[in-house]
Amino acid sequence: MDDMLVLEIDDLEVDVLTGIYSEETHLPQPLRIGVRALLKHADHYEPNGSLSLSKNYMDLKHAATTALTRGQHFTLIEAVADHIIDTVFLQDKKALHVTVKIVKLALSERSEKIGITLARWRK
């Protein structure tokens, strides 16, 4: 098996303008977002190693929060996931694969998780 480095951020709650139905399109909807990025990794990480050998976790948070254009409407949550993936790929050439999971919190009636997972390899 190959070694790998995966950075993760989970359970971010973000309000995003999304949806196709008229009752969804006027107000932001709460989404729960998780992002995982598979990175090129170093052969070994020393205790005093440089951050340049990895990636700042806050970059993943930024991609799923402040990088989402305020006021922009995403018809599909798949488009939200694509935007996050594109942002991570633009941030860092070491990102080889990104997975985004989005749960639409407004659809939950009994704590079920309704949403999508989109994963892409760098092209």
Side-chain angles (χ1 to χ4, degrees), residues 13-59:
E13 287 194 25
V14 182
D15 290 332
V16 178
L17 282 170
T18 185
I20 58 172
Y21 302 111
S22 60
E23 63 270 13
E24 297 178 315
T25 59
H26 301 299
L27 296 172
Q29 291 189 55
L31 304 177
R32 179 166 288 130
I33 300 174
V35 183
R36 285 167 186 71
L38 174 66
L39 304 178
K40 291 181 187 175
H41 59 82
D43 290 331
H44 186 72
Y45 294 95
E46 297 294 334
N48 62 347
S50 167
L51 181 57
S52 66
L53 295 173
S54 184
K55 180 169 183 52
N56 188 330
Y57 301 99
M58 297 308 287
D59 289 344

Side-chain angles (χ1 to χ4, degrees), residues 61-92:
K61 183 176 181 180
H62 166 74
T65 57
T66 55
L68 291 172
T69 308
R70 204 168 200 82
Q72 180 177 2
H73 181 267
F74 295 89
T75 303
L76 301 173
I77 58 173
E78 290 85 345
V80 176
D82 249 341
H83 188 278
I84 294 167
I85 290 169
D86 288 345
T87 302
V88 173
F89 282 148
L90 285 171
Q91 288 171 343
D92 198 328

